[in-house]
């Protein structure tokens, strides 16, 4: 069993999908540092799973994500690379609206899937340094009503770079 604390450098991708007319969106903050925590279990020298909590606070939006991962780790070298699949639930909330509009729902939740790849570098028998890249496919849709158009903003994906310290029990 292990626990990992992560600092997260995150990039949010979004697209504006107009239903009718055009809506001018001011610059949405798309890069942020967040934090995360994971608890994991190593089944054997190659397979491990984690239960994760992640919090990201952009200027316009906040995300709280809960997810699980299943990973395969290559253990025949000092640096231990791994790859994994991710499934979870993402909760997004608009903290500041990007345009003057009526937002039909400012809180959006959705399930998501993704992939991750990383490297574990053991410092000693109990502590490791972790670096992980995650690509999460989310589908948060915010519907907007403005005087000139009905539109939606789609938050497509999150790309996270995690730096963490793992402690093995």
């Amino acid at each position: 069993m292990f626990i990992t604390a992560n600092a997260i450098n995150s990039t949010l991708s979004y697209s504006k999908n107009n239903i009718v007319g055009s809506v001018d969106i001011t610059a949405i903050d798309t890069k942020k540092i967040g934090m995360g925590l994971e608890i994991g279990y190593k089944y054997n020298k190659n397979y491990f799973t984690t239960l994760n909590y992640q919090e990201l606070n952009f200027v316009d939006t906040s995300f709280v994500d809960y997810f699980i991962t299943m990973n395969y780790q290559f253990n025949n070298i000092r640096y231990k690379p791994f790859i994994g699949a991710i499934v979870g639930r993402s909760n997004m909330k608009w903290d500041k609206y990007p345009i003057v509009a009526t937002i039909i729902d400012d809180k959006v939740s959705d399930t998501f899937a993704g992939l991750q790849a990383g490297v574990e570098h053991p410092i000693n028998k109990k502590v490791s340094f972790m670096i992980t890249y995650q690509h999460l496919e989310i589908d948060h849709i915010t519907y907007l009503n403005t005087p000139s158009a009905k539109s939606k903003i789609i938050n497509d994906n999150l790309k996270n770079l995690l730096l963490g310290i793992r402690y093995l029990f």
Side-chain angles (χ1 to χ4, degrees):
M1 191 123 164
F2 58 85
I3 189 165
T4 309
N6 292 307
I8 305 167
N9 182 2
S10 188
T11 302
L12 172 66
S13 297
Y14 73 94
S15 61
K16 179 183 70 172
N17 184 355
N18 290 324
I19 300 168
V20 177
S22 66
V23 174
D24 183 27
I25 296 178
T26 58
I28 294 178
D29 180 25
T30 59
K31 295 190 180 295
K32 201 50 148 181
I33 302 294
M35 62 75 115
L37 189 64
E38 69 182 22
I39 297 172
Y41 179 75
K42 230 172 163 69
Y43 296 104
N44 58 39
K45 68 177 188 162
N46 294 105
Y47 290 97
F48 69 93
T49 190
T50 63
L51 177 62
N52 301 65
Y53 169 82
Q54 174 173 290
E55 190 174 300
L56 303 167
N57 295 304
F58 295 89
V59 170
D60 300 318
T61 55
S62 300
F63 288 84
V64 174
D65 301 328
Y66 304 93
F67 55 95
I68 58 172
T69 70
M70 186 63 191
N71 304 276
Y72 180 83
Q73 188 166 41
F74 303 89
N75 277 302
N76 52 355
I77 54 179
R78 178 158 170 74
Y79 294 92
K80 300 176 179 180
F82 62 90
I83 55 173
I86 303 169
V87 177
R89 185 94 177 140
S90 180
N91 303 297
M92 183 191 82
K93 178 180 175 287
W94 284 96
D95 299 318
K96 180 180 111 182
Y97 300 145
I99 62 171
V100 176
T102 302
I103 294 185
I104 296 171
D105 190 2
D106 66 350
K107 295 178 185 169
V108 183
S109 294
D110 191 32
T111 56
F112 67 87
L115 298 172
Q116 70 178 10
V119 176
E120 178 180 1
H121 176 63
I123 297 169
N124 59 40
K125 289 185 179 192
K126 294 280 188 187
V127 179
S128 296
F129 174 74
M130 305 292 295
I131 185 166
T132 308
Y133 172 80
Q134 296 174 333
H135 180 89
L136 308 175
E137 285 292 323
I138 59 175
D139 194 24
H140 292 305
I141 301 173
T142 303
Y143 294 95
L144 308 169
N145 287 328
T146 67
S148 64
K150 291 182 185 252
S151 300
K152 58 185 172 181
I153 299 172
I154 303 170
N155 294 87
D156 300 310
N157 59 64
L158 282 169
K159 297 173 183 82
N160 298 328
L161 180 63
L162 290 72
L163 301 175
I165 298 293
R166 176 172 286 173
Y167 179 78
L168 185 64
F169 295 100

